Amino acid sequence: RVKVPGSVYRRASGKWTAQTPELFDPSRQEWRRLSLGTFTTKSEAEARLREFHHTSLGPTALQVEEVRSMTVGHYLDWWLSLIAEMAATGDLAERTASGYEAAVRLHIEPPLGRRRIGELDTRIIVEWLTGLKANGYADRTVLRVYRTLHRAFSDSPLSLNPVRLPKHLRPKVRTEKPTYRPKVEEIAEFLDHAFNCRRSDYLHPLWRLAAVTGMRRGELIAVEWDDFDFEQRII
């Protein structure tokens, strides 16, 4: 079903109420949700909400078919105006808003701006992301830009986000760190040093326990004398 911004819920009395999404009220300089009335059935409330979006003006008035026929650039201009209003009223950090705009102007509009939203599919989005990486942008930048575009279409009346990718195709930030595995001789040298160091020789049993058991740091710190069975030589 087509998702219409706003909400429809049932009251304790059994009646149904339709409520708009958050709308900016210039007279109050704040965002508000407006009640569209109380109805006998859920379908009546949903119909009133659809009617509101069909007749009202402003960012929330976009219709599904209208969005699908728009270009990505046109829609993002509309979305950025909404983001600007949220930043002006303090509902969104200015830094976040400027980050969204930079991502749109630099990385999204140039390659995707002229495409129709109805044309977007997985192949187009994957090719766009691959192109960003090919141009040398870091994984973190690619992920941030993709999340910006995903957020933009999450604010649309479309029931399905056209840029949503399967989990295995979404950009990821790789944080691979080099792993060094010391040799036995190096471990023995370190333990000898810890044993002979006057300032930290009391830690020698701790380091030795770590070296010969592979216990994790939290486990090592939690060990108490009662945990030792010297007769069975187990911890």
Side-chain angles (χ1 to χ4, degrees), residues 41-227:
T41 65
K42 182 179 180 180
S43 59
E44 291 176 347
E46 291 175 337
R48 178 66 185 93
L49 185 59
R50 288 193 297 269
E51 179 186 3
F52 167 79
H53 284 289
H54 180 70
T55 58
S56 63
L57 300 177
T60 57
L62 287 178
Q63 300 298 299
V64 172
E65 292 305 321
E66 181 183 4
V67 172
R68 287 175 178 166
S69 63
M70 294 172 79
T71 63
V72 173
H74 184 189
Y75 173 78
L76 290 176
D77 286 341
W78 170 88
W79 180 70
L80 286 176
S81 67
L82 175 64
I83 292 299
E85 288 185 2
M86 294 178 66
T89 57
D91 292 304
L92 186 71
E94 291 187 4
R95 183 175 179 180
T96 301
S98 62
Y100 285 156
E101 184 167 10
V104 168
R105 303 305 186 198
L106 295 176
H107 306 300
I108 301 176
E109 276 190 340
L112 297 178
R114 294 185 178 182
R115 286 189 175 274
R116 297 287 176 183
I117 293 174
E119 301 172 351
L120 296 178
D121 56 21
T122 298
R123 179 186 60 81
I124 291 174
I125 301 303
V126 170
E127 288 180 353
W128 163 60
L129 295 173
T130 302
L132 290 176
K133 295 189 67 174
N135 287 330
Y137 290 105
D139 291 341
R140 193 172 299 278
T141 299
V142 175
L143 177 60
R144 175 174 54 82
V145 172
Y146 170 72
R147 285 179 173 174
T148 298
L149 186 60
H150 189 279
R151 160 68 195 273
F153 281 106
S154 295
D155 291 335
S156 78
L158 299 176
S159 57
L160 295 177
N161 194 318
V163 302
R164 180 180 175 84
L165 293 176
K167 189 173 183 179
H168 69 282
L169 293 178
R170 297 172 196 170
K172 300 178 179 62
V173 176
R174 295 174 175 81
T175 56
E176 297 178 358
K177 297 181 180 179
T179 301
Y180 177 76
R181 295 178 174 82
K183 300 177 181 178
V184 175
E185 296 80 8
E186 293 173 322
I187 295 176
E189 183 179 354
F190 170 76
L191 292 176
D192 288 341
H193 171 77
F195 182 76
N196 296 316
C197 181
R198 293 182 179 180
R199 293 184 178 180
S200 60
D201 56 354
Y202 67 96
L203 290 175
H204 176 263
L206 180 69
W207 297 127
R208 184 174 179 83
L209 192 61
V212 300
T213 65
M215 294 171 64
R216 292 172 293 185
R217 285 177 293 181
E219 295 171 331
L220 291 166
I221 294 172
V223 170
E224 299 179 353
W225 286 114
D226 291 341
D227 297 321

